[in-house]
mmCIF file of all heavy atoms in Angstrom:
data_model
loop_
_atom_site.group_PDB
_atom_site.id
_atom_site.type_symbol
_atom_site.label_atom_id
_atom_site.label_comp_id
_atom_site.label_asym_id
_atom_site.label_seq_id
_atom_site.Cartn_x
_atom_site.Cartn_y
_atom_site.Cartn_z
ATOM 1 N N LEU C 945 35.000 3.397 104.406
ATOM 2 C CA LEU C 945 36.304 2.807 104.665
ATOM 3 C C LEU C 945 37.260 2.925 103.491
ATOM 4 O O LEU C 945 38.476 2.861 103.669
ATOM 5 C CB LEU C 945 36.131 1.340 105.055
ATOM 6 C CG LEU C 945 35.568 1.105 106.466
ATOM 7 C CD1 LEU C 945 35.362 -0.380 106.711
ATOM 8 C CD2 LEU C 945 36.490 1.675 107.526
ATOM 9 N N GLU C 946 36.723 3.112 102.279
ATOM 10 C CA GLU C 946 37.608 3.231 101.124
ATOM 11 C C GLU C 946 38.435 4.513 101.156
ATOM 12 O O GLU C 946 39.505 4.579 100.555
ATOM 13 C CB GLU C 946 36.796 3.180 99.823
ATOM 14 C CG GLU C 946 36.241 1.788 99.520
ATOM 15 C CD GLU C 946 35.535 1.743 98.186
ATOM 16 O OE1 GLU C 946 35.211 2.823 97.629
ATOM 17 O OE2 GLU C 946 35.301 0.631 97.683
ATOM 18 N N ASN C 947 37.930 5.544 101.844
ATOM 19 C CA ASN C 947 38.696 6.788 101.919
ATOM 20 C C ASN C 947 38.883 7.259 103.371
ATOM 21 O O ASN C 947 38.922 8.448 103.642
ATOM 22 C CB ASN C 947 38.047 7.890 101.075
ATOM 23 C CG ASN C 947 36.603 8.155 101.470
ATOM 24 O OD1 ASN C 947 36.154 7.744 102.542
ATOM 25 N ND2 ASN C 947 35.873 8.840 100.619
ATOM 26 N N ARG C 948 39.030 6.281 104.264
ATOM 27 C CA ARG C 948 39.197 6.607 105.685
ATOM 28 C C ARG C 948 40.605 7.135 105.951
ATOM 29 O O ARG C 948 41.600 6.556 105.531
ATOM 30 C CB ARG C 948 38.974 5.359 106.542
ATOM 31 C CG ARG C 948 38.827 5.645 108.029
ATOM 32 C CD ARG C 948 39.216 4.471 108.882
ATOM 33 N NE ARG C 948 40.646 4.222 108.824
ATOM 34 C CZ ARG C 948 41.557 4.880 109.541
ATOM 35 N NH1 ARG C 948 41.186 5.853 110.358
ATOM 36 N NH2 ARG C 948 42.827 4.587 109.433
ATOM 37 N N HIS C 949 40.685 8.252 106.638
ATOM 38 C CA HIS C 949 41.952 8.860 107.014
ATOM 39 C C HIS C 949 42.081 8.873 108.538
ATOM 40 O O HIS C 949 41.090 8.965 109.253
ATOM 41 C CB HIS C 949 42.032 10.322 106.542
ATOM 42 C CG HIS C 949 41.776 10.515 105.084
ATOM 43 N ND1 HIS C 949 42.778 10.510 104.146
ATOM 44 C CD2 HIS C 949 40.624 10.738 104.400
ATOM 45 C CE1 HIS C 949 42.264 10.717 102.944
ATOM 46 N NE2 HIS C 949 40.960 10.860 103.073
ATOM 47 N N THR C 950 43.300 8.812 109.017
ATOM 48 C CA THR C 950 43.569 9.122 110.417
ATOM 49 C C THR C 950 43.688 10.635 110.543
ATOM 50 O O THR C 950 44.488 11.260 109.830
ATOM 51 C CB THR C 950 44.861 8.449 110.895
ATOM 52 O OG1 THR C 950 44.659 7.031 110.919
ATOM 53 C CG2 THR C 950 45.243 8.933 112.290
ATOM 54 N N ILE C 951 42.891 11.223 111.428
ATOM 55 C CA ILE C 951 42.847 12.681 111.580
ATOM 56 C C ILE C 951 43.504 13.077 112.896
ATOM 57 O O ILE C 951 43.106 12.624 113.968
ATOM 58 C CB ILE C 951 41.388 13.195 111.528
ATOM 59 C CG1 ILE C 951 40.729 12.805 110.200
ATOM 60 C CG2 ILE C 951 41.343 14.705 111.740
ATOM 61 C CD1 ILE C 951 41.396 13.411 108.973
ATOM 62 N N ARG C 952 44.500 13.954 112.783
ATOM 63 C CA ARG C 952 45.229 14.416 113.961
ATOM 64 C C ARG C 952 45.015 15.907 114.246
ATOM 65 O O ARG C 952 45.456 16.407 115.270
ATOM 66 C CB ARG C 952 46.721 14.132 113.787
ATOM 67 C CG ARG C 952 47.055 12.641 113.735
ATOM 68 C CD ARG C 952 48.541 12.417 113.501
ATOM 69 N NE ARG C 952 48.886 11.006 113.609
ATOM 70 C CZ ARG C 952 48.804 10.132 112.610
ATOM 71 N NH1 ARG C 952 48.370 10.539 111.411
ATOM 72 N NH2 ARG C 952 49.130 8.858 112.789
ATOM 73 N N ARG C 953 44.380 16.606 113.330
ATOM 74 C CA ARG C 953 44.108 18.033 113.524
ATOM 75 C C ARG C 953 42.606 18.261 113.421
ATOM 76 O O ARG C 953 41.941 17.735 112.500
ATOM 77 C CB ARG C 953 44.857 18.861 112.481
ATOM 78 C CG ARG C 953 46.373 18.776 112.584
ATOM 79 C CD ARG C 953 47.038 19.568 111.476
ATOM 80 N NE ARG C 953 46.577 20.959 111.483
ATOM 81 C CZ ARG C 953 46.541 21.727 110.395
ATOM 82 N NH1 ARG C 953 46.876 21.228 109.216
ATOM 83 N NH2 ARG C 953 46.138 22.979 110.493
ATOM 84 N N TYR C 954 42.078 19.079 114.354
ATOM 85 C CA TYR C 954 40.636 19.245 114.478
ATOM 86 C C TYR C 954 40.247 20.717 114.523
ATOM 87 O O TYR C 954 41.025 21.561 114.957
ATOM 88 C CB TYR C 954 40.139 18.545 115.754
ATOM 89 C CG TYR C 954 40.627 17.122 115.877
ATOM 90 C CD1 TYR C 954 41.757 16.823 116.631
ATOM 91 C CD2 TYR C 954 39.981 16.084 115.214
ATOM 92 C CE1 TYR C 954 42.230 15.521 116.729
ATOM 93 C CE2 TYR C 954 40.438 14.779 115.310
ATOM 94 C CZ TYR C 954 41.565 14.507 116.067
ATOM 95 O OH TYR C 954 42.031 13.218 116.153
ATOM 96 N N THR C 955 39.022 20.994 114.094
ATOM 97 C CA THR C 955 38.486 22.337 114.224
ATOM 98 C C THR C 955 38.059 22.566 115.675
ATOM 99 O O THR C 955 38.061 21.641 116.494
ATOM 100 C CB THR C 955 37.278 22.544 113.301
ATOM 101 O OG1 THR C 955 36.157 21.796 113.823
ATOM 102 C CG2 THR C 955 37.574 22.088 111.871
ATOM 103 N N SER C 956 37.652 23.773 115.979
ATOM 104 C CA SER C 956 37.196 24.092 117.336
ATOM 105 C C SER C 956 35.722 23.752 117.550
ATOM 106 O O SER C 956 35.194 23.945 118.644
ATOM 107 C CB SER C 956 37.429 25.581 117.624
ATOM 108 O OG SER C 956 36.729 26.375 116.675
#
Side-chain angles (χ1 to χ4, degrees):
L945 287 177
E946 288 184 344
N947 57 16
R948 193 205 69 82
H949 306 269
T950 292
I951 301 298
R952 295 178 173 86
R953 296 177 56 208
Y954 310 96
T955 72
S956 59

